[in-house]
Structures are given as C-alpha cells and as structure tokens.
C-alpha cells in the first residue's frame, strides 16, 4: 500500500435509543426540572450527532463530495496550462467550460444543511465534536459560497469577457480554501468516530439483551471490519498478516451468524427488505479484496486492493444507514 490508498471511511449512524435518557416516571418529584433538562440535553446531543454523521458522509460522498469535487475541478482544467490555452480549449467546445462544481456541490449543500442543523440542535454544547462541527461549518459555508460564485462565472461564460482574469486571480485561493475544508472534515470525522466506535459495542450488547440479534450482529460486523481496515492503514509495510487474518476469521464468523439471524427475521415476517443482505455482501467483498491484497506482488496492486476494501466497507455503511 502507498499514499494513494484511500483511508477515508464513511460513518455509520448511531442508535438514538442508546443516547436518549429513559422515562422519568421513577424520578423524584423534587427534581423534575433537572431531570427534564438532562433528558432534553441528551436528546439534543443525539439529534446533533445524527446530523453530524449525515453531514460528514455527504462531504465524503464518492460521487460528489469534497475530495471528489476538488479532484474533478483540478482535472477539468489540468490540460490547460495558460489562460490562452484554456480559452482555446473553451472555444473549441463553443466556449463552454463545464460547471465543474455543480454536481459536487449538490452533495455539499446537503451536508451544509445537515451540519447547520446539527450545530443548532447541539444547544451550545462544547464537546470536541461540537467544536469541530462549528469550525467546519464556518469554512464549508465560505467554500460553498465561493464555489457558487465560480459556477456562475463559468456558466455565464464571463471568462470570455475578462479573458480568464478572475480564474487566474482567484482560483488558487479557492483551491486552498477547498483543501482547508477537506482537512477540517477529516478532523470532524475523527471526532465522530471516537464517539461512534465507543458506543457501538455497548449498543450491540444492549441489542443482544433485547433479543435483537440481527441488529447487534450488524454493529459487531461493522466494528470488526473497521478494525481490519485500521490495522492495515496503520501498518502499511507489514508482511505478517497473522493478526489481521484472525480479525478476518472473527468477521466471517459474525457474518455467518448475521445471515442466520436475517433468515430467521424473514421467516418470522419481521423483515421485508434486503438491506442486511446487501450490507453483508459488501463486507464479504471487503474480505475478498483483503485476500487479493495479501496475494498482490506489488505495492500498487496492494493499494488498489486496499481501495477496494474501503469502497466495499463504505458501501456496507451506506446500507447500514438505510436500516431503521
């Protein structure tokens, strides 16, 4: 594996039931306001956290998230080294430069909306994740505004009037702002993961105790899959896969139990969708890419296989987030 390998992982939605406090029926009548405030605060934190996860995943979207959008933007004009070349290229296409941020910023706009709602519902909390959210919100709003401005510039073809003056003068600052936003989103994701990872096993235990085996095994599977990816990410030059092999065996055992639980749920008429099956299929694909990685003779092939693992994991997270 090398620096081209993906390490950005989508994040699963947390279970709201594990954060919100229980009913107040057993509380002392002498402290109802304090208890109500605590419940409201915890509920608010849960809503904000779900919004944070939604925002982060939108910003990371592989169709039009922040990094993909930046790559598309720079690639669109990569062959044009000067304003004259770019103008010639545009003229050959009826002076039509693609509005390179529209698709990307449809996703980013959804992320901004979710992040704004998350910050507002956090009720001025000062958890590290809340502070990271506020910092990111300020930056991504500025980026979104600037990107829309550039979109208008390209779509209206004003570059034909100013001979690319705005593009030449302001594009470096736009790209710098874009990169700063990506860095803050990565920091934001780390704060979300710190909370989510700690909760996941606790949530799985609670679900097991309630007899919700399928949901519990889903959480255990995604936790183990992330362990595998993190182990490979942090040990890029390893040739000893014995520890990771053990984690893969554990994951496959969980997935086997997961399949049995899904079949039972369908037999009991408690499940009428294929989200769990598709979730499991993608984690099995991740395992397949892991075995490809182990067998790969060159670092470039290993990086490609690792990217395949991340893609499969992210797709599994997508299906996990459809489950309710």
């Amino acid at each position: 594996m090398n620096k081209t390998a993906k390490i950005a992982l989508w994040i699963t939605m947390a279970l709201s039931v594990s954060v919100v406090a229980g009913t107040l029926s057993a509380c002392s009548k002498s402290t109802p306001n304090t208890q109500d405030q605590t419940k409201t605060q915890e509920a608010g934190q849960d809503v904000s956290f779900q919004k944070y996860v939604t925002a982060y995943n939108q910003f990371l979207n592989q169709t039009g998230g922040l990094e993909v959008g930046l790559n598309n933007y720079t690639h669109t004009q990569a062959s044009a080294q000067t304003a004259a070349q770019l103008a010639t290229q545009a003229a050959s296409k009826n002076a039509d430069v693609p509005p390179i941020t529209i698709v990307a910023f449809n996703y980013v706009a959804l992320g901004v909306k979710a992040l704004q709602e998350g910050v507002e519902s956090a009720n001025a909390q000062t958890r590290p994740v809340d502070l990271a959210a506020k910092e990111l919100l300020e930056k991504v709003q500025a980026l979104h505004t600037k990107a829309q401005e550039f979109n208008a510039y390209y779509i209206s073809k004003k570059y034909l009037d100013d001979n690319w003056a705005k593009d030449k003068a302001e594009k470096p600052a736009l790209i710098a702002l874009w990169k700063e936003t990506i860095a803050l989103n990565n920091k934001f994701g780390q704060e979300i993961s710190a909370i989510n990872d700690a909760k996941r096993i606790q949530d799985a235990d609670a679900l097991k105790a309630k007899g919700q085996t399928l949901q519990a095994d889903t959480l255990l599977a995604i936790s183990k899959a992330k362990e595998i990816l993190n182990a490979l990410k942090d040990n890029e030059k390893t040739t000893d896969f014995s520890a990771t092999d053990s984690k893969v065996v554990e994951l496959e055992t969980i997935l086997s139990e997961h399949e049995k639980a899904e079949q039972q749920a369908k037999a009991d008429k408690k499940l009428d969708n294929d989200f769990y099956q598709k979730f499991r299929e993608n984690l099995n694909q991740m395992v397949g890419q892991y075995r490809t990685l182990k067998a790969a003779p060159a670092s470039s092939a290993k990086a490609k296989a690792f990217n395949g693992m991340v893609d499969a994991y992210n797709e599994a997270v997508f299906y996990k987030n459809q489950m309710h």
Side-chain angles (χ1 to χ4, degrees), residues 20-318:
V20 181
T23 63
L24 301 178
S25 59
C27 295
S28 168
K29 292 182 179 179
S30 63
T31 58
N33 291 337
T34 301
Q35 293 292 341
D36 286 346
Q37 289 169 3
T38 300
K39 180 179 175 67
T40 299
Q41 184 182 78
E42 290 178 340
Q45 288 180 354
D46 179 61
V47 171
S48 65
F49 188 77
Q50 301 290 13
K51 294 293 185 180
Y52 291 165
V53 172
T54 297
Y56 175 79
N57 285 342
Q58 291 287 4
F59 295 149
L60 205 64
N61 189 283
Q62 293 301 297
T63 299
L66 289 169
E67 293 193 44
V68 171
L70 178 58
N71 289 337
N72 289 341
Y73 180 38
T74 54
H75 177 73
T76 298
Q77 301 183 19
S79 62
Q81 300 300 316
T82 68
Q85 287 175 315
L86 194 55
T88 300
Q89 181 187 56
S92 68
K93 299 179 181 178
N94 194 29
D96 187 10
V97 173
I100 38 70
T101 58
I102 279 183
V103 173
F105 279 83
N106 284 342
Y107 288 92
V108 174
L110 292 173
V112 171
K113 180 176 183 293
L115 186 59
Q116 178 72 59
E117 292 171 349
V119 169
E120 290 174 355
S121 62
N123 297 322
Q125 294 299 304
T126 56
R127 297 171 297 173
V129 70
D130 298 313
L131 298 177
K134 292 175 183 177
E135 185 179 20
L136 173 60
L137 180 60
E138 181 179 351
K139 191 72 67 173
V140 76
Q141 284 178 326
L143 174 62
H144 189 228
T145 298
K146 196 66 178 177
Q148 288 178 314
E149 177 186 314
F150 262 75
N151 261 336
Y153 174 76
Y154 292 127
I155 294 171
S156 65
K157 302 181 183 179
K158 287 185 178 178
Y159 47 79
L160 296 179
D161 290 342
D162 71 359
N163 194 30
W164 299 96
K166 178 181 178 66
D167 184 271
K168 291 175 64 179
E170 299 181 26
K171 184 166 66 177
L174 171 64
I175 292 175
L177 177 60
W178 213 323
K179 291 180 178 179
E180 290 170 8
T181 306
I182 290 171
L184 287 178
N185 191 50
N186 291 338
K187 175 184 175 182
F188 181 49
Q190 291 171 357
E191 296 295 348
I192 297 174
S193 291
I195 295 173
N196 225 21
D197 293 348
K199 286 182 73 287
R200 201 176 286 123
I201 301 301
Q202 176 185 349
D203 289 341
D205 290 342
L207 288 168
K208 287 276 189 183
K210 294 177 181 179
Q212 296 177 289
T213 305
L214 179 58
Q215 293 85 344
D217 286 342
T218 298
L219 292 181
L220 293 174
I222 207 72
S223 292
K224 189 59 62 176
K226 189 175 181 184
E227 281 183 32
I228 293 168
L229 289 171
N230 284 338
L232 293 171
K233 178 184 67 177
D234 295 336
N235 297 278
E236 294 183 352
K237 298 181 180 180
T238 186
T239 56
D240 180 5
F241 293 95
S242 56
T244 315
D245 284 342
S246 297
K247 294 181 186 296
V248 169
V249 170
E250 292 172 7
L251 174 58
E252 290 185 309
T253 300
I254 295 169
L255 292 177
S256 177
E257 293 301 313
H258 187 273
E259 183 174 11
K260 293 177 184 177
E262 183 197 23
Q263 291 173 347
Q264 186 62 54
K266 287 185 174 181
D268 294 340
K269 308 296 183 182
K270 295 180 179 179
L271 184 65
D272 60 358
N273 63 69
D274 293 326
F275 292 149
Y276 290 94
Q277 178 182 339
K278 293 182 182 297
F279 167 84
R280 190 172 58 253
E281 287 173 352
N282 278 282
L283 290 187
N284 277 320
Q285 289 177 17
M286 190 192 103
V287 170
Q289 288 293 330
Y290 168 69
R291 294 191 170 109
T292 299
L293 184 153
K294 286 177 59 182
S299 60
S300 59
K302 290 182 182 297
K304 182 177 180 180
F306 183 70
N307 286 348
M309 291 179 68
V310 173
D311 286 341
Y313 173 90
N314 284 343
E315 193 69 11
V317 169
F318 170 80

